[in-house]
Amino acid sequence: MGGILSSLNTSQTGLNAHQLMVDVTGNNIANASDEFYSRQRVIVSPEKPLYFQKYNLGRGVDIETIQRIHDEFTFSRYRKAASDAEFYDTEFDTLREASAFFPEVDGVGIYNDLENYFNAWKDVEKNPSDPSQKQVLAQNIQTLITNIKDTRRRLFDLQIKQSEELKVTIEEINSIAKQIAEINGKLAQMEDSRELKQANELRDRRDELEFNLSKLIGSNVFKDKLKSQARLNSDSADFDYGYTLNIAGGFNIVDGSIHHPLVIDNEDNQDGLYSVYFQGYDFKKVDITDKISGGKSGALLDLVSYGKNGGKIGKLQEYINDLDTFALGFIEATNSVYAQSATTELKSQVLTINSQDVLSDSVYNIKNGSFDVIVYDTKGNEILRKAVNIDGITTMEDVINYLNKNTDDNNDNNPLNDFDDYFRAYYDDEAKQFMILPKDSSMGLNVSIEDKGSNFVGAIGVNRLLYGNNAQNMELNTMYAKDPTLIRQHKAPVSGNFDIATMMLDLQYKDSEFFPTRSKKQEMTIPKYFQFVTGKVANDTNDVKILGDTKQSVLAAVKKEYLGISQVSIDEEMINLIKFQSGYAANAKVITTIDRMIDTLLTIKQ
């Protein structure tokens, strides 16, 4: 029942409560510079009163718990905004570096090298008999090839570097996820929702880890049965029972106190590019490379993915592919023109097809169309022309058989002056080389091939000026690299003929065919297609920069909202400190008063 000692206890509870409030306020002020520290408040309620017949007597204040002010929904938006901003920051930094590989300004870059290359053919056209012009031409070809190969190598090196950074990032993700799982285990031991006992510092630490993880990889956190803290703050929600953190559209890397690590390896890629796998309870690996999005790792994969098993192709791989497509189109267009330069025999590069393989289904860009085989006499006069058609079922064997077939190529009913009387075509499955050789070299006849839409000679490289089929392996024919004066500028082998030089020069104005994929054809001039390649890099960089600026603005707005709820305000804490100090002093005054009352009682008794 009530009494003077009960009154003393009432004030003692007030004294203890306000002392705790001062302690919590001091802790808030001490951690004010920590972004992920959530300000805390002491939750109190009136003690259960003493019940009398005519009234109820309060017995002071009951300290329920210390709670942090945290809104999980706002924090979730903050994590997402940070993940998006990190994605575009990572992409922009890499694309800005890639764009520096294409310095297409006056006097510098591959585009300038292309101009010098065509200008060299122009000089050969003007002075076909001057061997020094061919030496300049060979030098310009070598410079162009060197810069194309160097640009591709730098793109590839950047791709490898970012893939290695992906490996480091995945390892950091595993480390953070493991720490989150360990904290979840500690929270299960330390917290009691029935008594509102909450491990605030551990939850703040987990929030920080979640935030850092979201910057590294796009993730979703699911917390079951969130409780509102409207009593503490109208914008606050915290305290959960279950916890899962998943990535890549549903793969749980943290399930309560259990961590499922990600695995990264490059065993299945000859270039050493990494793929990412999820390893679950059964320890089986699931490839999630194409499913990861958001954060730094999502950006890195968006840059370096190489299209494994028909999957996503990253931007850097796209640029490498585009440069390869440009190089192949340039090589085939150049060789197709150069094959029209008559010589005593024709030979292709070593091929990978068998004689009975359908040409249009092969790895070479051979299309339905035709080509003409032309024979010149010793004076450079065209003496016959034999047309060969290629359709959807034509094989190399069909081409050889038709070339060697006795047909009236001159339409003069003379069976002794046709192609098969002067030359013979060869192809066998061991040498895998298309050849046209003279039957009697003493006759001094020359032969060439003029393509009519089939791309046969350009695709298989008949009497090539350029070797290779991509930006990595393109080369000037070693014969011409050693002796540039052997480069042929003529179509017909007569003095003063410079038709090939003219046709090469026209390639800068005439559309050539480029095949990004086998089923997709793009027709542009050679300089225009290169501008298309460089334009894609520049446009991607600019687009990512614009989106990145937008995401940074969103991040700043959401961060301000989040900090407005959870961050410590020094001004507010100082006001609270004064208020709690006054409360403590008031309760102490009450205790002093009761002490005097007790002295009075004791004096009366004496």
Side-chain angles (χ1 to χ4, degrees), residues 133 137 179 254 391:
Q133 299 298 337
L137 171 62
Q179 292 179 64
V254 178
D391 57 27

Short mmCIF file of all heavy atoms in Angstrom, two decimals, residues 133 137 179 254 391:
data_model
loop_
_atom_site.label_atom_id
_atom_site.label_comp_id
_atom_site.label_asym_id
_atom_site.label_seq_id
_atom_site.Cartn_x
_atom_site.Cartn_y
_atom_site.Cartn_z
N GLN A 133 55.38 4.86 -104.43
CA GLN A 133 53.98 5.04 -104.03
C GLN A 133 53.42 3.76 -103.42
O GLN A 133 52.62 3.80 -102.49
CB GLN A 133 53.13 5.48 -105.24
CG GLN A 133 53.55 6.80 -105.86
CD GLN A 133 53.42 7.96 -104.88
OE1 GLN A 133 52.66 7.92 -103.92
NE2 GLN A 133 54.19 9.02 -105.14
N LEU A 137 51.96 3.06 -99.75
CA LEU A 137 50.69 2.35 -99.58
C LEU A 137 50.84 1.22 -98.57
O LEU A 137 50.02 1.08 -97.64
CB LEU A 137 50.21 1.80 -100.92
CG LEU A 137 49.00 0.85 -100.88
CD1 LEU A 137 47.77 1.57 -100.32
CD2 LEU A 137 48.71 0.29 -102.27
N GLN A 179 28.83 -12.11 -43.04
CA GLN A 179 28.72 -11.29 -41.82
C GLN A 179 27.25 -11.03 -41.48
O GLN A 179 26.86 -11.04 -40.31
CB GLN A 179 29.45 -9.96 -42.03
CG GLN A 179 30.96 -10.09 -42.14
CD GLN A 179 31.62 -8.75 -42.37
OE1 GLN A 179 31.57 -7.85 -41.52
NE2 GLN A 179 32.23 -8.58 -43.54
N VAL A 254 21.46 -15.22 -48.35
CA VAL A 254 21.36 -15.23 -46.89
C VAL A 254 19.94 -15.67 -46.53
O VAL A 254 18.96 -15.05 -46.98
CB VAL A 254 21.64 -13.85 -46.27
CG1 VAL A 254 21.47 -13.91 -44.75
CG2 VAL A 254 23.05 -13.37 -46.61
N ASP A 391 23.86 -20.95 -105.26
CA ASP A 391 22.54 -20.87 -104.62
C ASP A 391 22.58 -21.57 -103.28
O ASP A 391 23.66 -21.88 -102.76
CB ASP A 391 21.46 -21.44 -105.55
CG ASP A 391 21.73 -22.88 -105.95
OD1 ASP A 391 22.41 -23.60 -105.17
OD2 ASP A 391 21.28 -23.31 -107.04
#
